[in-house]
Amino acid sequence: SGLMVSCVAVAQHVHTGDGQYPCRVSQVSQLAAALWLWAWYFLPFSSASVPQLTNSPTLIVMVGLPARGKTYISKKLTRYLNWIGFPTKVFNLGQYRRDAVQTYKNFEFFRQDNKEAMQIRKACASNALKDICIYFSKENGQVAVFDATNTTRERRVSIVSFAKEKGYKVFFVESICDDPDIIAQNITEVKVSSPDYVNCDKEEALADFLKRIECYKQTYVPLDDEKDRNLSYIKIFDVGSRYLVNRVQDHIQSRIVYYLMNIHVTPRSIYLTRHGESELNLLGRIGGDSGLSPRGHKYAASLGSFLKGQNIKDLKVWTSHMKRTIQTAEHLGVPYEQWKALNEIDAGVCEELTYEEIQEKHPEEFALRDQDKYRYRYPKGESYEDLVHRLEPVIMELERQENVLVVCHQAVMRCLLAYLLDKTSDELPYLKCPLHTVLRLTPVAYGCKMENIFLNVEAVNTHRERPVKQKGENGLKPSINVVNFLNLCLIPAIWGGGGGGGVACCHIVLS
Amino acid sequence: MMRGSSRSKSTQNLDRTVCMTNCPTLIVTVGLPARGKTYISKKLTRYLNWIGVPTREFNVGQYRRECVKIYKSFEFFRPDNEEGLKIRQQCASAALNDVRQYLADEGGQVAVFDATNTTRERRQTITAFAEQNGFKVFFVESVCEDPVVIAENIVQVKLGSPDYMNCNTEEAMEDFKKRIECYENSYETLDEVWDRHLSYIKIIDVGRRYLVNQVQDHIQSRIVYYLMNIHITPRSIYLCRHGESDLNVKGCIGGDSGLSPRGREFAKYLGKFIESQDISDLKVWTSQMKRTIQTAEAVSVPYEQWKALNEIDAGVCEEMMYEEIQQHYPLEFALRDQDKYRYRYPKGESYEDLVQRLEPVIMELERQENVLVICHQAVMRCLLAYFLDKTAEELPYLKCPLHTVLKLTPVAYGCKVESIFLNVDAVNTHRDRPENVNIHRTTEDALQTVPAHL
């Protein structure tokens, strides 16, 4: 056990390449001629496969009266940022308050003159900021969303100095809305059922909450065009009919703005399904571009009937460029749009092989994939991580649209589902997306309601469970990892680089 | 990503090209003179065309110059100059007429109506025109009161305008300033209340602040995203290919080989060249392929790898010489020559796919300042086509030789290009379009333009 690698080439931020975002590699010096291998647990690629586009963490600060959608935006934005690979976490001040003050009595807690409550609220804010610090410095967080009203200039000024001290960038997101209908709707959807109102009936809760809002209104100072002209922020008016954007500093803020400007709250449903069973599915082969099997055609016809029955208003139908999704959509008798981005994951050298053949021809690859299915990239193919980047424009357009049916593929559907249901990159590659089943996702409150509809046409099962991890006797990984390291050491130049030939980066991280 | 309607006639792909928008869009600029309206119009038009949305700009100043052959002075623009007003209105109408023709009859998807459009009345006329014709309207207003920025604009683009051909700098400056004043009194900026039903973006102080109202659809959302990412800080973009690779030497396309000895030498020279340029805060980007990474290693600056910068995937033709492609896939070879932009290698990509893949790179290039991009032939052609406003027909034949750095510096409404050959020999990898692209052509005809190799 254990050869030593004296890897002179050590990169500080070691990331895999990903679809759209660059990965940073710092200075790499030449590898020593003699390599010693240290049999540690290697991930084929870095565990921190996150594009580090900005060196300093970003603190997003929500601003707005209660029931203006701050928590909705916080959670949605966090879900999106995590999905595209930026570790993000929400810090909801209301939660801190509920943990500190076990029972909520009524709106009086929020009165401006309630000194005792003010102390508690300030302490909570302080604790939240401390936790944000820990998240950034010890937990590899890149973005923290501070979800609170932050309605006074005084509070915002103290946050800005806190951030400045720590070297965090600050971006404010203010939600302004005076439409009483929208506010009432918000209160009904998410406030009335909050732990605060567990023992009240609907009317009591509504009345109390409205008084709570009044408490804040007196001291509310919105972000000001003049006074706050040096801050970076986006102001969202009336649930997105208007935006004011000031001083976007960097790439991630620009992405955040773009995202926020594309989301909406109009009720709608997203239907996700795979193509009907294909010829290659029947043969147990992955990838390829085959047509539908007879059962696949049957499913497509059933899908058509199902949709008619649902009576969906203005349904958009999207497919990939591959025959099996197109053939499925053809049965629906409605116009559909093809997206290359929806094509199935490219299995590279393993295209059209059965799992048995992969095990036979590429056993190391097969093992590596099981070790880190999310980041593993098929030779000459793609990884789930690549897929996510490829699918980002699809997600953005899904956000803009209303009722949409997406006819896609297993890996693609897993990625989309992970986004909509906030699944981690660890869970993503094992989400269950069986053939001949439609998933209907309807945004509700802070999340997504999911209905699983099997259309009663039999199909093969293409789901491969996560295998049980094998560990060597002394807790170290078996020697196959040594082989893997050599296999995956990117550059033959390490062995054959000629005079002066610089060695390119090694994508390794020791976990 | 959705593709614009490129009106593709390629038969081998069973794709359907998709419209970015169901009805054509009329973008209307708003703002006093020297606020960057034409700069924005041209840049936006270039971007939209590059991503596959047929777009054209209609500059009313141009129409005016064609109507009134000789420009005398700012008096033409005085609000009480009735004759002047009449001519200007006619010009606007003529331009709108051409807009209608472009969007309704010529397959255009977006028209940019570049004029001051500073009064509510004028904007209402345009909105009515659009409604009548079934076009969506999106206003882009540029508001700026910084005298330094305005003076710089005037110097960069107005002094050299045909209007001031026979004036010296001071005269031209004076006259133009008076011209601006003619508009100032009647200028009605887009108002948060009065214009709340219009779709628009207001750009304040060259992008420090934006006000975005009622974005209607996907293309408007893309336009807003683009406009919010561009800047005018002076900078240069350096484009070059990796050093000569082993596969280059053999005459093979694609693959993932390392640098040849001459390639390594180029990398060294590149490092020296970059040092000599003394560039502040240079970012270096490469693809994830060995040959670009090895090239960057010699530059001694931290670099970032983009998968999106990888060379075009030649699918079944990867690592083949042109002779082998002709031998194994003569039909494909001919089809490619017929429509090199849209042709997709079996199990590979097309230039059109490349452009889509490179769009985030372009967006980030817009956000950045000094950048060196070390990439590949097809990729560099796509990026160059974006910066130099080349059409889809020209793009696949742009000359991007090895061992040559292109330095692009935005200036006025376009880009200055300097080509710097770093004096290390390399094979030529440029294959011109042969004369005979018929699928039944002879091998000799097919290989007519193949460059020499080992």
Side-chain angles (χ1 to χ4, degrees):
Chain A
S1 53
L3 303 166
M4 276 277 279
V5 175
S6 63
C7 238
V8 180
V10 172
Q12 254 196 350
H13 311 284
V14 183
H15 313 294
T16 53
D18 37 43
Q20 297 171 353
Y21 315 107
C23 84
R24 179 161 303 142
V25 178
S26 37
Q27 287 290 80
V28 169
S29 28
Q30 292 183 34
L31 261 183
L35 285 183
W36 297 85
L37 280 168
W38 183 257
W40 285 30
Y41 173 76
F42 292 121
L43 286 175
F45 298 102
S46 158
S47 61
S49 301
V50 168
Q52 299 223 320
L53 294 169
T54 157
N55 294 323
S56 24
T58 303
L59 177 57
I60 299 178
V61 181
M62 303 302 300
V63 180
L65 294 172
R68 263 60 177 178
K70 296 186 300 301
T71 302
Y72 176 81
I73 291 170
S74 301
K75 287 183 184 252
K76 211 169 155 74
L77 187 56
T78 300
R79 177 160 56 89
Y80 169 70
L81 290 173
N82 276 312
W83 188 75
I84 62 172
F86 291 99
T88 308
K89 193 168 167 192
V90 181
F91 295 82
N92 175 282
L93 201 50
Q95 251 328 104
Y96 282 79
R97 190 256 311 154
R98 272 184 282 276
D99 290 339
V101 182
Q102 299 294 324
T103 333
Y104 172 76
K105 283 206 205 89
N106 61 28
F107 77 94
E108 308 257 353
F109 182 86
F110 292 96
R111 286 175 57 145
Q112 292 303 316
D113 51 7
N114 186 338
K115 291 222 163 90
E116 196 189 313
M118 274 298 182
Q119 292 272 54
I120 297 174
R121 289 160 72 192
K122 254 190 207 162
C124 287
S126 195
N127 287 335
L129 289 178
K130 273 202 202 103
D131 286 350
I132 288 174
C133 238
I134 296 173
Y135 179 61
F136 284 151
S137 53
K138 307 235 164 57
E139 294 173 28
N140 284 320
Q142 262 191 264
V143 181
V145 183
F146 186 46
D147 177 17
T149 50
N150 297 316
T151 39
T152 61
R153 179 157 287 120
E154 183 200 345
R155 169 59 61 82
R156 297 194 291 266
V157 160
S158 71
I159 295 173
V160 168
S161 24
F162 159 83
K164 198 163 170 201
E165 204 194 325
K166 304 280 181 186
Y168 308 152
K169 287 188 181 172
V170 183
F171 188 72
F172 291 94
V173 178
E174 181 171 21
S175 174
I176 295 177
C177 181
D178 290 310
D179 183 336
D181 290 329
I182 296 180
I183 296 165
Q185 167 83 349
N186 285 355
I187 299 177
T188 314
E189 261 207 46
V190 295
K191 300 295 178 186
V192 160
S193 52
S194 126
D196 289 345
Y197 296 109
V198 98
N199 297 315
C200 303
D201 72 29
K202 252 179 70 180
E203 268 92 48
E204 287 175 347
L206 185 57
D208 183 86
F209 201 84
L210 288 171
K211 292 209 192 87
R212 207 154 112 176
I213 298 178
E214 288 302 314
C215 296
Y216 283 92
K217 268 194 182 159
Q218 294 157 21
T219 52
Y220 180 25
V221 179
L223 288 167
D224 184 78
D225 286 356
E226 259 310 297
K227 300 209 178 92
D228 296 312
R229 67 184 175 283
N230 289 322
L231 298 180
S232 297
Y233 64 83
I234 178 172
K235 253 196 216 217
I236 306 171
F237 296 91
D238 295 327
V239 202
S241 76
R242 210 150 65 85
Y243 305 90
L244 184 63
V245 180
N246 196 63
R247 291 204 185 266
V248 170
Q249 296 174 48
D250 61 14
H251 180 93
I252 187 141
Q253 290 179 18
S254 148
R255 296 291 295 283
I256 288 166
V257 164
Y258 184 41
Y259 181 72
L260 292 177
M261 285 173 47
N262 279 307
I263 60 181
H264 67 78
V265 293
T266 313
R268 50 85 169 249
S269 286
I270 297 170
Y271 296 80
L272 297 183
T273 180
R274 289 168 66 188
H275 52 83
E277 182 192 68
S278 72
E279 301 285 353
L280 283 177
N281 284 146
L282 273 180
L283 297 170
R285 295 183 176 282
I286 66 171
D289 192 15
S290 60
L292 298 180
S293 70
R295 294 197 296 197
H297 282 290
K298 200 158 162 230
Y299 169 70
S302 302
L303 182 60
S305 315
F306 167 74
L307 289 174
K308 283 206 182 73
Q310 288 275 298
N311 221 336
I312 308 157
K313 169 180 141 226
D314 277 333
L315 179 71
K316 296 252 158 66
V317 178
W318 297 350
T319 70
S320 68
H321 278 187
M322 299 180 132
K323 292 197 195 92
R324 49 201 190 277
T325 56
I326 294 171
Q327 287 180 11
T328 308
E330 279 292 320
H331 280 270
L332 305 177
V334 291
Y336 56 92
E337 297 176 13
Q338 297 178 26
W339 290 71
K340 184 170 189 246
L342 285 172
N343 279 4
E344 182 57 319
I345 192 172
D346 184 354
V349 298
C350 298
E351 276 284 318
E352 301 197 40
L353 300 183
T354 62
Y355 286 118
E356 292 80 10
E357 286 169 343
I358 300 175
Q359 171 59 36
E360 193 191 304
K361 297 189 182 154
H362 306 279
E364 328 85 48
E365 297 299 326
F366 203 40
L368 280 167
R369 186 157 204 255
D370 284 341
Q371 282 173 23
D372 189 358
K373 198 173 175 189
Y374 182 71
R375 279 167 209 91
Y376 171 82
R377 189 182 286 150
Y378 284 108
K380 303 202 167 187
E382 296 177 297
S383 62
Y384 271 96
E385 193 171 29
D386 295 329
L387 249 197
V388 161
H389 287 302
R390 166 152 69 86
L391 285 167
E392 204 263 350
V394 176
I395 287 295
M396 199 62 89
E397 191 56 23
L398 259 180
E399 285 294 345
R400 289 196 57 80
Q401 292 288 344
E402 293 184 21
N403 292 316
V404 186
L405 163 70
V406 185
V407 183
C408 55
H409 307 265
Q410 182 167 251
V412 168
M413 188 160 154
R414 284 171 170 156
C415 292
L416 297 177
L417 204 55
Y419 167 73
L420 294 165
L421 300 181
D422 203 16
K423 298 294 183 187
T424 63
S425 60
D426 205 54
E427 303 169 288
L428 189 160
Y430 297 101
L431 293 175
K432 283 209 165 70
C433 295
L435 286 166
H436 296 188
T437 308
V438 182
L439 294 183
R440 178 185 176 186
L441 297 140
T442 312
V444 75
Y446 294 138
C448 240
K449 177 176 84 168
M450 183 171 91
E451 293 161 67
N452 191 313
I453 307 135
F454 174 61
L455 288 192
N456 227 349
V457 179
E458 291 299 320
V460 296
N461 173 23
T462 58
H463 186 88
R464 205 176 143 263
E465 287 289 353
R466 187 198 301 263
V468 176
K469 278 205 175 150
Q470 304 291 328
K471 280 214 171 208
E473 277 175 321
N474 50 1
L476 297 172
K477 282 284 166 175
S479 65
I480 190 156
N481 280 312
V482 172
V483 177
N484 296 337
F485 170 78
L486 288 173
N487 271 341
L488 291 171
C489 220
L490 285 175
I491 331 284
I494 292 170
W495 310 109
V503 170
C505 57
C506 281
H507 285 218
I508 346 161
V509 99
L510 308 175
S511 82
Chain B
M1 214 184 290
M2 294 170 99
R3 306 195 298 186
S5 84
S6 42
R7 281 164 293 153
S8 157
K9 36 176 173 43
S10 41
T11 47
Q12 74 273 32
N13 306 317
L14 58 104
D15 329 326
R16 287 188 198 172
T17 47
V18 169
C19 250
M20 283 265 197
T21 159
N22 293 326
C23 41
T25 304
L26 176 57
I27 297 177
V28 181
T29 62
V30 179
L32 293 173
R35 263 52 176 186
K37 298 184 300 299
T38 301
Y39 176 80
I40 289 170
S41 301
K42 288 185 183 260
K43 211 168 154 74
L44 189 53
T45 300
R46 176 162 57 90
Y47 168 70
L48 290 173
N49 276 313
W50 187 77
I51 62 171
V53 181
T55 306
R56 192 185 292 175
E57 26 135 13
F58 297 82
N59 177 283
V60 174
Q62 255 322 103
Y63 284 77
R64 189 259 307 156
R65 271 183 281 275
E66 272 156 40
C67 189
V68 182
K69 296 298 182 187
I70 310 172
Y71 173 77
K72 285 204 207 92
S73 76
F74 76 94
E75 306 261 352
F76 179 83
F77 292 97
R78 286 178 56 149
D80 53 4
N81 182 342
E82 291 217 9
E83 199 186 312
L85 275 171
K86 208 165 134 208
I87 296 174
R88 289 156 71 195
Q89 211 145 308
Q90 280 169 358
C91 289
S93 297
L96 283 179
N97 227 354
D98 287 351
V99 164
R100 183 209 333 259
Q101 195 174 335
Y102 176 66
L103 293 180
D105 303 332
E106 290 174 32
Q109 268 191 263
V110 177
V112 184
F113 186 61
D114 176 18
T116 48
N117 299 315
T118 39
T119 60
R120 186 156 287 121
E121 184 196 345
R122 166 61 58 87
R123 296 195 290 266
Q124 266 162 11
T125 317
I126 298 172
T127 311
F129 159 84
E131 231 159 86
Q132 220 182 324
N133 287 288
F135 306 150
K136 285 187 180 171
V137 183
F138 188 71
F139 292 94
V140 177
E141 179 171 19
S142 173
V143 175
C144 181
E145 290 314 316
D146 184 339
V148 172
V149 174
I150 296 167
E152 175 66 29
N153 285 355
I154 299 177
V155 164
Q156 268 217 25
V157 295
K158 299 298 178 184
L159 299 185
S161 132
D163 290 346
Y164 295 111
M165 242 179 1
N166 300 315
C167 303
N168 69 33
T169 311
E170 270 96 46
E171 287 173 345
M173 239 335 177
E174 268 316 297
D175 184 88
F176 199 85
K177 286 202 178 133
K178 294 213 190 80
R179 207 155 113 177
I180 298 178
E181 273 165 42
C182 295
Y183 285 89
E184 268 171 351
N185 286 331
S186 57
Y187 181 20
E188 295 168 288
T189 182
L190 286 168
D191 185 76
E192 281 175 26
V193 179
W194 287 106
D195 297 310
R196 68 184 175 281
H197 295 299
L198 298 180
S199 298
Y200 65 83
I201 178 172
K202 205 189 259 220
I203 304 171
I204 299 153
D205 291 333
V206 203
R208 185 179 58 80
R209 220 147 70 93
Y210 305 91
L211 189 60
V212 181
N213 197 61
Q214 304 279 11
V215 171
Q216 296 173 49
D217 59 15
H218 179 92
I219 186 102
Q220 290 180 16
S221 147
R222 293 290 290 279
I223 289 166
V224 163
Y225 183 43
Y226 181 71
L227 292 176
M228 283 173 50
N229 279 307
I230 61 182
H231 68 78
I232 55 167
T233 313
R235 51 85 169 248
S236 287
I237 295 169
Y238 297 80
L239 297 182
C240 75
R241 290 168 67 188
H242 51 82
E244 182 191 69
S245 72
D246 289 325
L247 281 177
N248 284 145
V249 171
K250 296 200 191 108
C252 299
I253 67 171
D256 193 15
S257 59
L259 297 180
S260 70
R262 294 196 296 195
R264 282 194 286 272
E265 188 145 344
F266 164 72
K268 272 199 268 216
Y269 276 86
L270 181 63
K272 293 208 182 90
F273 169 72
I274 293 296
E275 248 187 78
S276 72
Q277 288 273 300
D278 202 23
I279 309 156
S280 90
D281 275 332
L282 178 72
K283 296 254 156 65
V284 178
W285 296 351
T286 69
S287 69
Q288 286 181 2
M289 300 181 129
K290 292 193 199 105
R291 49 199 191 277
T292 55
I293 293 169
Q294 287 178 12
T295 309
E297 281 293 316
V299 180
S300 302
V301 181
Y303 56 91
E304 299 179 10
Q305 297 176 24
W306 290 73
K307 184 169 191 248
L309 285 172
N310 280 3
E311 181 59 317
I312 192 172
D313 183 355
V316 298
C317 299
E318 276 285 317
E319 301 196 41
M320 288 190 176
M321 299 186 285
Y322 287 118
E323 292 83 353
E324 289 171 318
I325 300 178
Q326 170 60 23
Q327 186 185 16
H328 297 286
Y329 302 101
L331 172 62
E332 295 297 326
F333 202 36
L335 284 170
R336 185 159 203 254
D337 283 336
Q338 285 177 19
D339 189 358
K340 198 173 176 189
Y341 183 71
R342 280 169 208 90
Y343 172 82
R344 190 181 286 151
Y345 283 107
K347 301 203 166 181
E349 295 178 297
S350 63
Y351 272 95
E352 194 170 28
D353 295 330
L354 250 196
V355 160
Q356 299 228 342
R357 171 156 58 89
L358 285 167
E359 203 264 350
V361 177
I362 287 293
M363 200 62 90
E364 192 55 24
L365 264 176
E366 286 293 346
R367 290 195 57 79
Q368 292 289 343
E369 293 183 18
N370 292 315
V371 186
L372 164 66
V373 184
I374 303 174
C375 54
H376 305 265
Q377 183 166 251
V379 170
M380 188 161 157
R381 284 171 171 158
C382 292
L383 297 178
L384 204 55
Y386 167 74
F387 287 108
L388 302 183
D389 203 14
K390 299 295 184 186
T391 63
E393 276 61 48
E394 300 169 293
L395 189 161
Y397 296 102
L398 292 175
K399 284 211 163 71
C400 296
L402 287 166
H403 299 187
T404 307
V405 180
L406 291 184
K407 179 180 177 181
L408 300 157
T409 313
V411 77
Y413 293 140
C415 237
K416 180 175 83 169
V417 187
E418 292 164 64
S419 171
I420 306 127
F421 174 59
L422 289 191
N423 227 348
V424 179
D425 281 326
V427 295
N428 172 24
T429 58
H430 185 92
R431 186 179 159 267
D432 270 317
R433 190 175 196 264
E435 269 176 51
N436 189 346
V437 298
N438 190 291
I439 59 177
H440 300 297
R441 64 190 177 176
T442 64
T443 301
E444 205 188 313
D445 279 350
L447 299 176
Q448 180 200 13
T449 54
V450 171
H453 57 85
L454 272 183

